[in-house]
Amino acid sequence: MGNGTVRAQADAEGADRRREQHGWYFYDWACSVYSTSVLTVFLGPYLTSVARSAADADGFVHPLGIPVRAGSFFPYCVSVSVVLAVLLMPMAGAAADRTGRRKPLLAAAAYTGATATAGLFLLDGDRYLLGGALLIVANASVAVSMVLYNAYLPQIAPPEERDAVSSRGWAFGYAAGSLVLVANLVLFTAHDSFGVSEATAVRICLGSAGLWWGVFTLVPLRRLRDRRTTGPVPAGHGWRQLAATVRDMRGKPLTLAFLLAYLVYNDGIQTVISQASVYGSEELGLSQSTLIAAVLLVQVLAVAGALGMGRLARAYGAKRTILGSLVAWAVVLGAGYFLPAGAPAWFFVLAAGIGLVLGGSQALSRSLFSHLVPPGREAEYFSAYEMSDRGMSWLGPLLFGLTYQLTGSYRDAVVSLVVFFALGFVLLARVPVRRAVLDAGNPAPERI
């Protein structure tokens, strides 16, 4: 009877854990639509066109009196949003660790971002400053929310499950992106049938992404549970706690080495995500419907890529699988430089290559880092991780924007990003991850 009781308790704990995991997946489902429909597909080309309508005879707009080429306004706004996120994320991580109450903070960040995204429906005419301000708020909010979201992973999944759970989360996100992009494609291509202009169709796609984000955030808020902080919590608030985290990481140099590698190669990934549609529309002359279809292809293949790379990680280890994906990223970007203008078929080939490596490289990086976090320090360490993920990803958009401003060529801007993947490969290859896991005080999985 004793064994039966223990078994029943274990079954109940497993059921509770799976319920939390399923709720956790749904935040990827909720917020990934912002990343796909808004940041990757519609906002870059549309905000660029709005900025061009407000530009002077030389093609410059003047936010705060600063001359900015209209084609560089969008990537510069992305960079500004990341700087704002850098200021906010340590405070969110500190509050989560201090109180153990992640859900109220997650709700605040998510609904601030969802509201700003819904507000993009108002972007029309020459109101480029409104678009830039809403983009900055939404992009900073999603970064802050991901600090809190990712910090749940070590709590809801034991070490042997984390690669699979993280990969399923990304797969949920890409599945949602695919579903919404199908609806976007129908509305955009048949906008006349719906009695709206092309610009209005774009604004509906932007605003509806905010509504989607807000509605489906209710699922994780209902299913995830907060755990009171156990053990000592570092003193300090915001930046003081981040400084304490970094000092603590100096005693775990292998965790810090992984973060440095991730900072570099993920900067390239985030820049490709945010600038791919601008490259397709401005340099290759592709239509908006072609870009939507290409990003839809990325989303569909990213589901398979995330799950497939999760399986590869079980066979070869997460580190080797990530290294292989970085080689693939560099090859894809190099090929992108040579794409002929006005040739959608080749752009679809490029999109397929991105899709197959996109989800897996991000999902495995998240699960690998979760093994490097000391127990009880999840939000604190994931604050630093998220600064590497979105928070420090300002160099890529800045390099992209500066390269275009200096050369006038989006091809040069795209190929400049290869440096992030090459350097990231070298840095990650030097990290002995098994020893890093043990140094963090965690059990090492059989393959990592």
Side-chain angles (χ1 to χ4, degrees):
M1 182 174 177
N3 289 339
T5 302
V6 171
R7 201 159 42 243
Q9 183 178 358
D11 290 343
E13 290 175 353
D16 288 344
R17 187 172 71 248
R18 286 189 295 274
R19 175 180 170 81
E20 273 199 280
Q21 289 173 357
H22 292 154
W24 186 79
Y25 299 151
F26 264 92
Y27 191 68
D28 260 318
W29 176 275
C31 73
S32 290
V33 170
Y34 164 80
S35 298
T36 54
S37 288
V38 177
L39 195 62
T40 305
V41 178
F42 287 109
L43 188 54
Y46 185 64
L47 182 55
T48 299
S49 70
V50 171
R52 286 212 166 101
S53 70
D56 59 21
D58 296 321
F60 285 80
V61 290
H62 300 269
L64 304 177
I66 303 169
V68 172
R69 191 187 290 269
S72 294
F73 181 71
F74 172 68
Y76 286 166
C77 285
V78 174
S79 289
V80 172
S81 74
V82 170
V83 173
L84 177 60
V86 166
L87 298 175
L88 296 176
M89 285 189 295
M91 291 186 282
D97 276 335
R98 193 168 58 249
T99 66
R101 292 174 55 80
R102 294 193 178 99
K103 279 206 295 186
L105 295 168
L106 175 62
Y111 284 107
T112 298
T115 301
T117 303
L120 288 169
F121 177 76
L122 303 175
L123 178 60
D124 61 356
D126 60 357
R127 303 167 76 180
Y128 76 99
L129 285 175
L130 172 66
L134 291 174
L135 164 61
I136 289 167
V137 172
N139 217 40
S141 296
V142 76
V144 172
S145 73
M146 292 302 288
V147 170
L148 306 156
Y149 167 68
N150 285 336
Y152 278 102
L153 180 58
Q155 297 182 342
I156 65 173
E160 66 275 8
E161 293 183 6
R162 285 184 203 162
D163 287 346
V165 169
S166 183
S167 295
R168 288 187 201 116
W170 282 106
F172 260 64
Y174 288 120
S178 300
L179 180 64
V180 173
L181 275 178
V182 169
N184 291 161
L185 184 60
V186 171
L187 174 62
F188 183 82
T189 56
H191 60 85
D192 287 335
S193 302
F194 291 98
V196 299
S197 67
E198 183 177 289
T200 301
V202 171
R203 290 164 52 215
I204 291 172
C205 293
L206 293 171
S208 62
L211 295 178
W212 178 284
W213 185 358
V215 168
F216 284 104
T217 294
L218 293 172
V219 179
L221 292 180
R222 187 175 180 84
R223 292 198 172 187
L224 291 171
R225 59 188 178 88
D226 282 333
R227 294 156 175 86
R228 298 302 299 176
T229 302
T230 59
V233 176
H237 303 269
W239 279 98
R240 282 183 291 169
Q241 180 166 328
L242 180 64
T245 304
V246 172
R247 285 195 299 271
D248 184 70
M249 282 185 179
R250 290 172 62 184
K252 296 175 180 60
L254 299 182
T255 298
L256 201 56
F258 172 81
L259 268 181
L260 176 61
Y262 181 66
L263 182 155
V264 172
Y265 70 74
N266 187 66
D267 204 340
I269 293 174
Q270 295 299 322
T271 307
V272 172
I273 291 172
S274 65
Q275 306 302 323
S277 288
V278 175
Y279 178 64
S281 63
E282 299 296 323
E283 185 69 36
L284 303 182
L286 301 178
S287 67
Q288 188 74 55
S289 58
T290 297
L291 296 175
I292 297 171
V295 175
L296 177 60
L297 177 62
V298 170
Q299 300 301 301
V300 172
L301 291 179
V303 174
L307 298 176
M309 286 180 65
R311 293 189 176 185
L312 285 175
R314 287 199 294 271
Y316 300 103
K319 177 184 173 180
R320 288 182 180 178
T321 307
I322 295 170
L323 288 173
S325 76
L326 298 183
V327 174
W329 272 109
V331 170
V332 166
L333 284 181
Y337 178 84
F338 297 101
L339 287 186
W346 286 109
F347 192 71
F348 286 137
V349 172
L350 184 74
I354 291 174
L356 289 173
V357 295
L358 175 60
S361 55
Q362 293 177 313
L364 292 178
S365 296
R366 177 170 65 186
S367 60
L368 179 55
F369 181 73
S370 74
H371 294 287
L372 309 181
V373 177
R377 310 285 291 277
E378 291 86 4
E380 179 189 352
Y381 269 64
F382 267 107
S383 177
Y385 174 85
E386 194 62 29
M387 290 180 71
S388 299
D389 185 352
R390 298 172 195 262
M392 293 302 289
S393 296
W394 56 273
L395 283 174
L398 182 61
L399 177 62
F400 189 94
L402 284 174
T403 303
Y404 175 74
Q405 179 138 347
L406 294 173
T407 68
S409 169
Y410 282 108
R411 293 183 188 274
D412 292 338
V414 163
V415 81
S416 70
L417 302 178
V418 171
V419 67
F420 291 101
F421 298 102
L423 181 56
F425 181 97
V426 172
L427 293 173
L428 179 59
R430 294 165 58 96
V431 179
V433 292
R434 182 170 297 276
R435 183 149 57 91
V437 173
L438 298 175
D439 286 354
N442 295 315
E446 182 178 349
R447 291 189 182 275
I448 194 167

